[in-house]
Amino acid sequence: MSDRPDVLIVGAGFAGMYAVHRFRSLGLSVKVLEAGSDVGGTWYWNRYPGARCDVPSLEYSYGFSPQLEQEWDWPEVFSAQEDILRYANHVADRFDLRRDMQFDTRVTAVEYLDDVHRWRLTTERGETLEAPFCVMATGCLSVPVKPDIPGAATFAGEVYHTGTWPHHDVDLAGKRVAIIGTGSSGVQAIPELARQAAHLTVFQRTPVYTIPANRKRMRAEVQDEFREHYREIREMQQNNQGGVSNFRPIKSVRRANVSPSNAFPARLLDLTPEQRHATMERFGLGALLGFRDIYTDPDANEIANDLYRETVLTMVRDPETAERLLPKTYGLGCKRQVLDRDYYDTFNRDNVTLIDLTETPIESITSRGVRTTTGHYEADVIVYATGFDAMTGALLRANIRGRNGRKLEDKWRDGPVAYLGLQMSGFPNLFTVTGPGSPSVLCNMLVAIEQHVNWIAECIDYLRTHDVGSIEPLRTSEVEWVAHVNEVAEGTMYTAPSCNSWYLGANIPGKPRIFMPYVGGYPRYRARCEQEAANGYPGFALGDRLSP
Ligand code: N01
């Protein structure tokens, strides 16, 4: 590991891992600092029971190495956390990534040194490291948040957050478990916790729209067909709004004698009310994923929300519980679509109780459980499934200071300002992977990560070969880009006034309400990045090299 690396990288998740490989290929020396004890990022930390990915694994995988694509076997279509982490470990071993990584090292300050044009990183242990380039590969959902509930510190039992689940086995047998939060993490964890615990009490503030996940094992012939077509599939990903190819393994479908299911038209509004109900009866909640107008047409959205609610009422036996589980204050498409395994059925179990916090809010946590305005619920374990300070959290927590000591926190007081989610003016040679203003969380993250890391690598290479010392966006570029990011988000389901999501920062008290990811689609975004590079970075200021 180099003591004077060309590039310092913060984070050894999928972004930091690929950055090591890609930068090395250009002859750059690198050093990664990672707070965890190993690679994997999100998949290293989020080990709660039921954790899995909502993008098919054959697509949620690196595309940079054809050999890797051919040699890795995925056991399921949508992989569980442990399989994705196994993949991350395989990649780290195969490309010998760990030799440039320092684990158990949290970065506490990232400062630009004006006089020497270098970045200095300080770690929790007081260690300092310097390099001319710094890449923040810190993830979009990596700072877990816990609500500030009076008395929380007095709870005498075990406390877990889904985003920092322990690495040892958690034995819930015979225990009373309370879980707070019903977003993606809560919805995945709840059925598993209910199976393991003596009793589970679910504290729900906002009911969720959740659709049953595809739970198929991987068929060898499907995997083979993907492998055969991988180059074409990667190309399709590059041209898809969300970075997924939607490749259909036609041969294996035919072989299994499954009829290709395009059973209904693409628009919900094209169906008669009778056809809509028949479709829901036949295909269940999953049918709604097939209609594109749900996400673009408010009338279709309203109808879909009603169909969703009607269907849930048939899935949960106790009518009062069913009624409480119905999302009513916002529509489908406002939040990240949640996928589940047995979520609604879990509320038919005798050992599960649902508490609706809009009727009876939490007042406090006591040494023995959770107190709401109408009762006290005894618990041996409290699980917080209360989400993350998304997209900006990890960057702000790193205490980044740019030119003249300017704090990123001050620059972003009214919301994140960055050009293409890649760089900020006033912070030369500092790059963010999947930063705010890039498609990131609206895209297949692996595709978004590879595109960003490739762009950054080629940019650094350009600076070296053109004898340029520094790069940072023009102030006008980032202001125009932020305006464009807001403009394309305007009028979508994501920014409806009734919508409160972490995309908007709405889950963090005091966080400016700004739609952070770029909703204009991955291909359009990618084309803009490519244009910048091809034209010699006209939207950026390029600075002279310091004389040695
Ligand atoms: O977090 P969330 P998450 N009192 O913010 C509730 C990705 N992910 O970890 O909506 C009571 O979505 C909060 O209630 P409300 C995915 O991108 C992916 O579940 O604020 N409740 C909400 O119910 C996802 O979108 C996968 O009213 C409180 C919950 O906690 C993102 O991570 C799996 C509360 C937080 O939900 C985040 O998901 C898991 C309080 N004081 C995660 N504060 C897959 O790939 C918060 N809540 C499938």
PDB file of all heavy atoms in Angstrom, residues 43 48 52-54 141 147 149 162 180-186 188 203 205-206 335-336 357 362 385-388 502 507, ligand 1:
ATOM      1  N   TRP A  43     -23.708  -3.854   1.910  1.00  0.00           N
ATOM      2  CA  TRP A  43     -23.942  -5.284   2.131  1.00  0.00           C
ATOM      3  C   TRP A  43     -23.094  -5.814   3.267  1.00  0.00           C
ATOM      4  O   TRP A  43     -23.321  -6.920   3.755  1.00  0.00           O
ATOM      5  CB  TRP A  43     -23.738  -6.054   0.823  1.00  0.00           C
ATOM      6  CG  TRP A  43     -24.630  -5.468  -0.221  1.00  0.00           C
ATOM      7  CD1 TRP A  43     -24.259  -4.646  -1.245  1.00  0.00           C
ATOM      8  CD2 TRP A  43     -26.063  -5.573  -0.285  1.00  0.00           C
ATOM      9  NE1 TRP A  43     -25.372  -4.239  -1.948  1.00  0.00           N
ATOM     10  CE2 TRP A  43     -26.493  -4.802  -1.382  1.00  0.00           C
ATOM     11  CE3 TRP A  43     -27.022  -6.249   0.472  1.00  0.00           C
ATOM     12  CZ2 TRP A  43     -27.849  -4.685  -1.735  1.00  0.00           C
ATOM     13  CZ3 TRP A  43     -28.354  -6.138   0.125  1.00  0.00           C
ATOM     14  CH2 TRP A  43     -28.759  -5.359  -0.966  1.00  0.00           C
ATOM     15  N   TYR A  48     -29.375  -7.400   8.540  1.00  0.00           N
ATOM     16  CA  TYR A  48     -30.582  -7.756   9.308  1.00  0.00           C
ATOM     17  C   TYR A  48     -31.287  -8.948   8.641  1.00  0.00           C
ATOM     18  O   TYR A  48     -31.153  -9.157   7.417  1.00  0.00           O
ATOM     19  CB  TYR A  48     -31.516  -6.537   9.405  1.00  0.00           C
ATOM     20  CG  TYR A  48     -31.958  -5.974   8.076  1.00  0.00           C
ATOM     21  CD1 TYR A  48     -33.072  -6.490   7.406  1.00  0.00           C
ATOM     22  CD2 TYR A  48     -31.262  -4.939   7.457  1.00  0.00           C
ATOM     23  CE1 TYR A  48     -33.478  -5.981   6.176  1.00  0.00           C
ATOM     24  CE2 TYR A  48     -31.653  -4.426   6.229  1.00  0.00           C
ATOM     25  CZ  TYR A  48     -32.761  -4.959   5.600  1.00  0.00           C
ATOM     26  OH  TYR A  48     -33.148  -4.472   4.383  1.00  0.00           O
ATOM     27  N   ARG A  52     -32.168  -8.171   1.444  1.00  0.00           N
ATOM     28  CA  ARG A  52     -31.833  -8.623   0.087  1.00  0.00           C
ATOM     29  C   ARG A  52     -32.007  -7.481  -0.889  1.00  0.00           C
ATOM     30  O   ARG A  52     -32.519  -6.407  -0.535  1.00  0.00           O
ATOM     31  CB  ARG A  52     -32.581  -9.868  -0.325  1.00  0.00           C
ATOM     32  CG  ARG A  52     -34.067  -9.773  -0.391  1.00  0.00           C
ATOM     33  CD  ARG A  52     -34.684 -11.078  -0.901  1.00  0.00           C
ATOM     34  NE  ARG A  52     -34.398 -12.229  -0.096  1.00  0.00           N
ATOM     35  CZ  ARG A  52     -33.800 -13.341  -0.558  1.00  0.00           C
ATOM     36  NH1 ARG A  52     -33.421 -13.415  -1.811  1.00  0.00           N
ATOM     37  NH2 ARG A  52     -33.596 -14.373   0.238  1.00  0.00           N
ATOM     38  N   CYS A  53     -31.563  -7.712  -2.107  1.00  0.00           N
ATOM     39  CA  CYS A  53     -31.556  -6.639  -3.102  1.00  0.00           C
ATOM     40  C   CYS A  53     -32.843  -6.671  -3.935  1.00  0.00           C
ATOM     41  O   CYS A  53     -33.441  -7.726  -4.129  1.00  0.00           O
ATOM     42  CB  CYS A  53     -30.349  -6.818  -4.013  1.00  0.00           C
ATOM     43  SG  CYS A  53     -30.107  -5.424  -5.106  1.00  0.00           S
ATOM     44  N   ASP A  54     -33.243  -5.485  -4.425  1.00  0.00           N
ATOM     45  CA  ASP A  54     -34.465  -5.425  -5.238  1.00  0.00           C
ATOM     46  C   ASP A  54     -34.153  -5.264  -6.730  1.00  0.00           C
ATOM     47  O   ASP A  54     -35.016  -4.905  -7.514  1.00  0.00           O
ATOM     48  CB  ASP A  54     -35.395  -4.300  -4.744  1.00  0.00           C
ATOM     49  CG  ASP A  54     -34.701  -2.952  -4.708  1.00  0.00           C
ATOM     50  OD1 ASP A  54     -33.523  -2.865  -5.106  1.00  0.00           O
ATOM     51  OD2 ASP A  54     -35.346  -1.972  -4.285  1.00  0.00           O
ATOM     52  N   LEU A 141     -26.678   5.554   1.083  1.00  0.00           N
ATOM     53  CA  LEU A 141     -27.508   5.177   2.243  1.00  0.00           C
ATOM     54  C   LEU A 141     -26.588   4.511   3.259  1.00  0.00           C
ATOM     55  O   LEU A 141     -26.655   3.307   3.490  1.00  0.00           O
ATOM     56  CB  LEU A 141     -28.614   4.221   1.790  1.00  0.00           C
ATOM     57  CG  LEU A 141     -29.672   4.840   0.872  1.00  0.00           C
ATOM     58  CD1 LEU A 141     -30.391   3.785   0.047  1.00  0.00           C
ATOM     59  CD2 LEU A 141     -30.682   5.644   1.679  1.00  0.00           C
ATOM     60  N   PRO A 147     -34.398   7.868  15.574  1.00  0.00           N
ATOM     61  CA  PRO A 147     -35.131   9.031  16.071  1.00  0.00           C
ATOM     62  C   PRO A 147     -34.762   9.326  17.522  1.00  0.00           C
ATOM     63  O   PRO A 147     -34.339   8.433  18.250  1.00  0.00           O
ATOM     64  CB  PRO A 147     -36.591   8.596  15.953  1.00  0.00           C
ATOM     65  CG  PRO A 147     -36.572   7.121  15.869  1.00  0.00           C
ATOM     66  CD  PRO A 147     -35.252   6.706  15.317  1.00  0.00           C
ATOM     67  N   ILE A 149     -35.985   9.655  20.675  1.00  0.00           N
ATOM     68  CA  ILE A 149     -37.200   9.372  21.464  1.00  0.00           C
ATOM     69  C   ILE A 149     -36.841   9.488  22.951  1.00  0.00           C
ATOM     70  O   ILE A 149     -35.856   8.873  23.394  1.00  0.00           O
ATOM     71  CB  ILE A 149     -37.743   7.960  21.141  1.00  0.00           C
ATOM     72  CG1 ILE A 149     -38.069   7.861  19.632  1.00  0.00           C
ATOM     73  CG2 ILE A 149     -38.994   7.654  21.982  1.00  0.00           C
ATOM     74  CD1 ILE A 149     -38.499   6.477  19.165  1.00  0.00           C
ATOM     75  N   THR A 162     -31.294  -1.671  11.779  1.00  0.00           N
ATOM     76  CA  THR A 162     -31.153  -2.569  10.625  1.00  0.00           C
ATOM     77  C   THR A 162     -29.876  -2.260   9.832  1.00  0.00           C
ATOM     78  O   THR A 162     -29.258  -3.145   9.264  1.00  0.00           O
ATOM     79  CB  THR A 162     -32.376  -2.453   9.691  1.00  0.00           C
ATOM     80  OG1 THR A 162     -32.661  -1.072   9.487  1.00  0.00           O
ATOM     81  CG2 THR A 162     -33.579  -3.169  10.264  1.00  0.00           C
ATOM     82  N   ILE A 180     -39.441  -0.450  15.045  1.00  0.00           N
ATOM     83  CA  ILE A 180     -39.957   0.882  14.691  1.00  0.00           C
ATOM     84  C   ILE A 180     -39.553   1.148  13.247  1.00  0.00           C
ATOM     85  O   ILE A 180     -38.363   1.119  12.915  1.00  0.00           O
ATOM     86  CB  ILE A 180     -39.366   1.973  15.622  1.00  0.00           C
ATOM     87  CG1 ILE A 180     -39.677   1.634  17.084  1.00  0.00           C
ATOM     88  CG2 ILE A 180     -39.913   3.357  15.249  1.00  0.00           C
ATOM     89  CD1 ILE A 180     -39.028   2.564  18.100  1.00  0.00           C
ATOM     90  N   GLY A 181     -40.522   1.400  12.382  1.00  0.00           N
ATOM     91  CA  GLY A 181     -40.216   1.717  10.987  1.00  0.00           C
ATOM     92  C   GLY A 181     -40.705   0.644  10.035  1.00  0.00           C
ATOM     93  O   GLY A 181     -40.492  -0.558  10.264  1.00  0.00           O
ATOM     94  N   THR A 182     -41.369   1.076   8.968  1.00  0.00           N
ATOM     95  CA  THR A 182     -41.905   0.146   7.963  1.00  0.00           C
ATOM     96  C   THR A 182     -41.548   0.605   6.550  1.00  0.00           C
ATOM     97  O   THR A 182     -42.392   0.658   5.667  1.00  0.00           O
ATOM     98  CB  THR A 182     -43.444   0.017   8.119  1.00  0.00           C
ATOM     99  OG1 THR A 182     -44.006   1.330   8.092  1.00  0.00           O
ATOM    100  CG2 THR A 182     -43.838  -0.676   9.396  1.00  0.00           C
ATOM    101  N   GLY A 183     -40.271   0.998   6.346  1.00  0.00           N
ATOM    102  CA  GLY A 183     -39.762   1.253   4.992  1.00  0.00           C
ATOM    103  C   GLY A 183     -39.227  -0.068   4.428  1.00  0.00           C
ATOM    104  O   GLY A 183     -39.577  -1.161   4.923  1.00  0.00           O
ATOM    105  N   SER A 184     -38.360   0.003   3.415  1.00  0.00           N
ATOM    106  CA  SER A 184     -37.832  -1.234   2.798  1.00  0.00           C
ATOM    107  C   SER A 184     -37.191  -2.164   3.819  1.00  0.00           C
ATOM    108  O   SER A 184     -37.415  -3.380   3.788  1.00  0.00           O
ATOM    109  CB  SER A 184     -36.758  -0.894   1.758  1.00  0.00           C
ATOM    110  OG  SER A 184     -37.295  -0.162   0.717  1.00  0.00           O
ATOM    111  N   SER A 185     -36.394  -1.602   4.714  1.00  0.00           N
ATOM    112  CA  SER A 185     -35.679  -2.456   5.685  1.00  0.00           C
ATOM    113  C   SER A 185     -36.664  -3.109   6.634  1.00  0.00           C
ATOM    114  O   SER A 185     -36.593  -4.320   6.896  1.00  0.00           O
ATOM    115  CB  SER A 185     -34.664  -1.632   6.487  1.00  0.00           C
ATOM    116  OG  SER A 185     -33.781  -0.948   5.637  1.00  0.00           O
ATOM    117  N   GLY A 186     -37.596  -2.304   7.183  1.00  0.00           N
ATOM    118  CA  GLY A 186     -38.584  -2.840   8.110  1.00  0.00           C
ATOM    119  C   GLY A 186     -39.424  -3.919   7.444  1.00  0.00           C
ATOM    120  O   GLY A 186     -39.641  -5.002   8.013  1.00  0.00           O
ATOM    121  N   GLN A 188     -38.721  -5.847   4.991  1.00  0.00           N
ATOM    122  CA  GLN A 188     -37.972  -7.096   4.785  1.00  0.00           C
ATOM    123  C   GLN A 188     -37.738  -7.825   6.111  1.00  0.00           C
ATOM    124  O   GLN A 188     -37.764  -9.046   6.169  1.00  0.00           O
ATOM    125  CB  GLN A 188     -36.615  -6.799   4.142  1.00  0.00           C
ATOM    126  CG  GLN A 188     -36.717  -6.411   2.678  1.00  0.00           C
ATOM    127  CD  GLN A 188     -35.343  -6.287   2.028  1.00  0.00           C
ATOM    128  OE1 GLN A 188     -34.357  -5.957   2.692  1.00  0.00           O
ATOM    129  NE2 GLN A 188     -35.277  -6.543   0.754  1.00  0.00           N
ATOM    130  N   PHE A 203     -44.244  -0.936  15.148  1.00  0.00           N
ATOM    131  CA  PHE A 203     -44.664   0.456  15.318  1.00  0.00           C
ATOM    132  C   PHE A 203     -44.573   1.148  13.957  1.00  0.00           C
ATOM    133  O   PHE A 203     -43.480   1.405  13.454  1.00  0.00           O
ATOM    134  CB  PHE A 203     -43.777   1.142  16.360  1.00  0.00           C
ATOM    135  CG  PHE A 203     -43.986   0.584  17.746  1.00  0.00           C
ATOM    136  CD1 PHE A 203     -43.241  -0.499  18.193  1.00  0.00           C
ATOM    137  CD2 PHE A 203     -44.954   1.121  18.574  1.00  0.00           C
ATOM    138  CE1 PHE A 203     -43.451  -1.041  19.452  1.00  0.00           C
ATOM    139  CE2 PHE A 203     -45.172   0.587  19.848  1.00  0.00           C
ATOM    140  CZ  PHE A 203     -44.421  -0.499  20.279  1.00  0.00           C
ATOM    141  N   ARG A 205     -45.502   4.292  11.446  1.00  0.00           N
ATOM    142  CA  ARG A 205     -45.955   5.686  11.354  1.00  0.00           C
ATOM    143  C   ARG A 205     -46.637   5.934  10.017  1.00  0.00           C
ATOM    144  O   ARG A 205     -47.685   6.534   9.941  1.00  0.00           O
ATOM    145  CB  ARG A 205     -44.781   6.641  11.553  1.00  0.00           C
ATOM    146  CG  ARG A 205     -45.227   8.076  11.705  1.00  0.00           C
ATOM    147  CD  ARG A 205     -44.142   8.950  12.262  1.00  0.00           C
ATOM    148  NE  ARG A 205     -43.004   9.069  11.335  1.00  0.00           N
ATOM    149  CZ  ARG A 205     -41.914   9.771  11.613  1.00  0.00           C
ATOM    150  NH1 ARG A 205     -41.797  10.384  12.779  1.00  0.00           N
ATOM    151  NH2 ARG A 205     -40.929   9.829  10.745  1.00  0.00           N
ATOM    152  N   THR A 206     -45.999   5.439   8.933  1.00  0.00           N
ATOM    153  CA  THR A 206     -46.586   5.615   7.599  1.00  0.00           C
ATOM    154  C   THR A 206     -46.705   4.248   6.929  1.00  0.00           C
ATOM    155  O   THR A 206     -45.685   3.569   6.732  1.00  0.00           O
ATOM    156  CB  THR A 206     -45.690   6.529   6.735  1.00  0.00           C
ATOM    157  OG1 THR A 206     -45.443   7.730   7.456  1.00  0.00           O
ATOM    158  CG2 THR A 206     -46.361   6.870   5.415  1.00  0.00           C
ATOM    159  N   LYS A 335     -42.302   7.061  -3.225  1.00  0.00           N
ATOM    160  CA  LYS A 335     -41.122   6.544  -2.537  1.00  0.00           C
ATOM    161  C   LYS A 335     -40.524   5.417  -3.352  1.00  0.00           C
ATOM    162  O   LYS A 335     -41.154   4.909  -4.269  1.00  0.00           O
ATOM    163  CB  LYS A 335     -41.517   5.999  -1.163  1.00  0.00           C
ATOM    164  CG  LYS A 335     -42.223   7.030  -0.286  1.00  0.00           C
ATOM    165  CD  LYS A 335     -42.309   6.553   1.133  1.00  0.00           C
ATOM    166  CE  LYS A 335     -43.180   7.488   1.944  1.00  0.00           C
ATOM    167  NZ  LYS A 335     -42.859   7.475   3.352  1.00  0.00           N
ATOM    168  N   ARG A 336     -39.357   5.016  -2.968  1.00  0.00           N
ATOM    169  CA  ARG A 336     -38.721   3.852  -3.568  1.00  0.00           C
ATOM    170  C   ARG A 336     -39.670   2.655  -3.414  1.00  0.00           C
ATOM    171  O   ARG A 336     -40.134   2.389  -2.298  1.00  0.00           O
ATOM    172  CB  ARG A 336     -37.414   3.578  -2.824  1.00  0.00           C
ATOM    173  CG  ARG A 336     -36.773   2.262  -3.112  1.00  0.00           C
ATOM    174  CD  ARG A 336     -35.836   2.390  -4.239  1.00  0.00           C
ATOM    175  NE  ARG A 336     -35.099   1.171  -4.486  1.00  0.00           N
ATOM    176  CZ  ARG A 336     -34.051   1.130  -5.278  1.00  0.00           C
ATOM    177  NH1 ARG A 336     -33.639   2.232  -5.880  1.00  0.00           N
ATOM    178  NH2 ARG A 336     -33.420   0.009  -5.492  1.00  0.00           N
ATOM    179  N   LEU A 357     -48.915   4.533  14.743  1.00  0.00           N
ATOM    180  CA  LEU A 357     -48.413   5.688  15.500  1.00  0.00           C
ATOM    181  C   LEU A 357     -49.130   6.987  15.138  1.00  0.00           C
ATOM    182  O   LEU A 357     -48.965   7.981  15.838  1.00  0.00           O
ATOM    183  CB  LEU A 357     -46.900   5.841  15.286  1.00  0.00           C
ATOM    184  CG  LEU A 357     -46.065   4.659  15.780  1.00  0.00           C
ATOM    185  CD1 LEU A 357     -44.592   4.892  15.482  1.00  0.00           C
ATOM    186  CD2 LEU A 357     -46.270   4.422  17.262  1.00  0.00           C
ATOM    187  N   ILE A 362     -45.653   7.389  19.774  1.00  0.00           N
ATOM    188  CA  ILE A 362     -44.735   6.980  20.845  1.00  0.00           C
ATOM    189  C   ILE A 362     -44.498   8.195  21.743  1.00  0.00           C
ATOM    190  O   ILE A 362     -44.198   9.287  21.254  1.00  0.00           O
ATOM    191  CB  ILE A 362     -43.386   6.489  20.263  1.00  0.00           C
ATOM    192  CG1 ILE A 362     -43.601   5.215  19.440  1.00  0.00           C
ATOM    193  CG2 ILE A 362     -42.363   6.260  21.372  1.00  0.00           C
ATOM    194  CD1 ILE A 362     -42.341   4.670  18.755  1.00  0.00           C
ATOM    195  N   ALA A 385     -35.731   0.418  12.432  1.00  0.00           N
ATOM    196  CA  ALA A 385     -35.646   0.285  10.962  1.00  0.00           C
ATOM    197  C   ALA A 385     -35.987   1.657  10.412  1.00  0.00           C
ATOM    198  O   ALA A 385     -36.871   1.809   9.576  1.00  0.00           O
ATOM    199  CB  ALA A 385     -36.607  -0.779  10.474  1.00  0.00           C
ATOM    200  N   THR A 386     -35.288   2.651  10.936  1.00  0.00           N
ATOM    201  CA  THR A 386     -35.708   4.045  10.749  1.00  0.00           C
ATOM    202  C   THR A 386     -34.903   4.790   9.683  1.00  0.00           C
ATOM    203  O   THR A 386     -34.965   6.009   9.613  1.00  0.00           O
ATOM    204  CB  THR A 386     -35.650   4.786  12.101  1.00  0.00           C
ATOM    205  OG1 THR A 386     -34.426   4.433  12.760  1.00  0.00           O
ATOM    206  CG2 THR A 386     -36.813   4.401  12.991  1.00  0.00           C
ATOM    207  N   GLY A 387     -34.158   4.058   8.873  1.00  0.00           N
ATOM    208  CA  GLY A 387     -33.598   4.648   7.664  1.00  0.00           C
ATOM    209  C   GLY A 387     -32.265   5.365   7.827  1.00  0.00           C
ATOM    210  O   GLY A 387     -31.519   5.145   8.792  1.00  0.00           O
ATOM    211  N   PHE A 388     -31.991   6.223   6.852  1.00  0.00           N
ATOM    212  CA  PHE A 388     -30.649   6.797   6.678  1.00  0.00           C
ATOM    213  C   PHE A 388     -30.721   8.296   6.393  1.00  0.00           C
ATOM    214  O   PHE A 388     -31.709   8.786   5.848  1.00  0.00           O
ATOM    215  CB  PHE A 388     -29.959   6.122   5.480  1.00  0.00           C
ATOM    216  CG  PHE A 388     -29.825   4.643   5.625  1.00  0.00           C
ATOM    217  CD1 PHE A 388     -30.844   3.787   5.196  1.00  0.00           C
ATOM    218  CD2 PHE A 388     -28.708   4.080   6.226  1.00  0.00           C
ATOM    219  CE1 PHE A 388     -30.750   2.410   5.342  1.00  0.00           C
ATOM    220  CE2 PHE A 388     -28.593   2.703   6.374  1.00  0.00           C
ATOM    221  CZ  PHE A 388     -29.622   1.870   5.933  1.00  0.00           C
ATOM    222  N   TRP A 502     -37.108   9.953   1.683  1.00  0.00           N
ATOM    223  CA  TRP A 502     -35.699  10.298   1.930  1.00  0.00           C
ATOM    224  C   TRP A 502     -35.048  10.889   0.686  1.00  0.00           C
ATOM    225  O   TRP A 502     -34.038  11.581   0.784  1.00  0.00           O
ATOM    226  CB  TRP A 502     -34.915   9.106   2.476  1.00  0.00           C
ATOM    227  CG  TRP A 502     -34.932   7.858   1.654  1.00  0.00           C
ATOM    228  CD1 TRP A 502     -35.693   6.753   1.849  1.00  0.00           C
ATOM    229  CD2 TRP A 502     -34.113   7.565   0.500  1.00  0.00           C
ATOM    230  NE1 TRP A 502     -35.427   5.801   0.897  1.00  0.00           N
ATOM    231  CE2 TRP A 502     -34.460   6.265   0.055  1.00  0.00           C
ATOM    232  CE3 TRP A 502     -33.134   8.275  -0.191  1.00  0.00           C
ATOM    233  CZ2 TRP A 502     -33.859   5.668  -1.046  1.00  0.00           C
ATOM    234  CZ3 TRP A 502     -32.530   7.692  -1.292  1.00  0.00           C
ATOM    235  CH2 TRP A 502     -32.896   6.405  -1.707  1.00  0.00           C
ATOM    236  N   ASN A 507     -37.061  12.760   5.717  1.00  0.00           N
ATOM    237  CA  ASN A 507     -37.004  11.927   6.926  1.00  0.00           C
ATOM    238  C   ASN A 507     -36.046  12.492   7.979  1.00  0.00           C
ATOM    239  O   ASN A 507     -35.929  11.942   9.058  1.00  0.00           O
ATOM    240  CB  ASN A 507     -36.562  10.493   6.564  1.00  0.00           C
ATOM    241  CG  ASN A 507     -35.165  10.450   5.967  1.00  0.00           C
ATOM    242  OD1 ASN A 507     -34.743  11.395   5.288  1.00  0.00           O
ATOM    243  ND2 ASN A 507     -34.434   9.390   6.198  1.00  0.00           N
TER     244      ASN A 507
HETATM  245  O1  N01 B   1     -35.577   3.531   5.492  1.00  0.00           O
HETATM  246  P1  N01 B   1     -36.864   4.412   5.121  1.00  0.00           P
HETATM  247  P2  N01 B   1     -35.214   2.034   5.072  1.00  0.00           P
HETATM  248  N1  N01 B   1     -41.042   7.122  14.590  1.00  0.00           N
HETATM  249  O2  N01 B   1     -36.450   5.818   5.362  1.00  0.00           O
HETATM  250  C1  N01 B   1     -39.935   5.216  10.021  1.00  0.00           C
HETATM  251  C2  N01 B   1     -32.797   1.039   0.475  1.00  0.00           C
HETATM  252  N2  N01 B   1     -33.067  -0.330   0.861  1.00  0.00           N
HETATM  253  O3  N01 B   1     -33.969   1.662   5.761  1.00  0.00           O
HETATM  254  O4  N01 B   1     -42.312   7.130   6.614  1.00  0.00           O
HETATM  255  C3  N01 B   1     -41.601   6.143  13.893  1.00  0.00           C
HETATM  256  O5  N01 B   1     -37.404   4.054   3.826  1.00  0.00           O
HETATM  257  C4  N01 B   1     -40.394   5.851   8.738  1.00  0.00           C
HETATM  258  O6  N01 B   1     -41.693   6.368   8.891  1.00  0.00           O
HETATM  259  P3  N01 B   1     -42.140   7.665   8.005  1.00  0.00           P
HETATM  260  C5  N01 B   1     -33.982   1.521  -0.356  1.00  0.00           C
HETATM  261  O7  N01 B   1     -33.529   2.407  -1.312  1.00  0.00           O
HETATM  262  C6  N01 B   1     -33.189  -1.211  -0.149  1.00  0.00           C
HETATM  263  O8  N01 B   1     -36.396   1.161   5.262  1.00  0.00           O
HETATM  264  O9  N01 B   1     -41.007   8.647   8.119  1.00  0.00           O
HETATM  265  N3  N01 B   1     -41.210   5.736  12.693  1.00  0.00           N
HETATM  266  C7  N01 B   1     -40.285   4.662   7.790  1.00  0.00           C
HETATM  267  O10 N01 B   1     -41.373   3.797   7.936  1.00  0.00           O
HETATM  268  C8  N01 B   1     -34.811   2.178   0.720  1.00  0.00           C
HETATM  269  O11 N01 B   1     -35.754   3.098   0.227  1.00  0.00           O
HETATM  270  C9  N01 B   1     -33.508  -2.487   0.136  1.00  0.00           C
HETATM  271  O12 N01 B   1     -43.379   8.120   8.654  1.00  0.00           O
HETATM  272  C10 N01 B   1     -40.162   6.364  12.173  1.00  0.00           C
HETATM  273  C11 N01 B   1     -39.016   3.971   8.313  1.00  0.00           C
HETATM  274  O13 N01 B   1     -38.843   4.392   9.653  1.00  0.00           O
HETATM  275  C12 N01 B   1     -33.742   2.809   1.574  1.00  0.00           C
HETATM  276  O14 N01 B   1     -32.719   1.838   1.637  1.00  0.00           O
HETATM  277  C13 N01 B   1     -33.694  -2.908   1.438  1.00  0.00           C
HETATM  278  C14 N01 B   1     -39.495   7.399  12.836  1.00  0.00           C
HETATM  279  C15 N01 B   1     -37.787   4.372   7.540  1.00  0.00           C
HETATM  280  O15 N01 B   1     -37.919   3.964   6.210  1.00  0.00           O
HETATM  281  C16 N01 B   1     -34.145   3.168   2.974  1.00  0.00           C
HETATM  282  O16 N01 B   1     -34.970   2.134   3.525  1.00  0.00           O
HETATM  283  C17 N01 B   1     -33.554  -1.993   2.454  1.00  0.00           C
HETATM  284  C18 N01 B   1     -39.988   7.772  14.094  1.00  0.00           C
HETATM  285  N4  N01 B   1     -39.456   8.782  14.794  1.00  0.00           N
HETATM  286  C19 N01 B   1     -33.232  -0.702   2.151  1.00  0.00           C
HETATM  287  N5  N01 B   1     -38.480   7.816  12.063  1.00  0.00           N
HETATM  288  C20 N01 B   1     -33.653  -3.410  -0.999  1.00  0.00           C
HETATM  289  O17 N01 B   1     -32.831  -3.489  -1.890  1.00  0.00           O
HETATM  290  C21 N01 B   1     -38.513   7.062  10.952  1.00  0.00           C
HETATM  291  N6  N01 B   1     -39.527   6.192  11.014  1.00  0.00           N
HETATM  292  C22 N01 B   1     -34.858  -4.193  -1.073  1.00  0.00           C
END
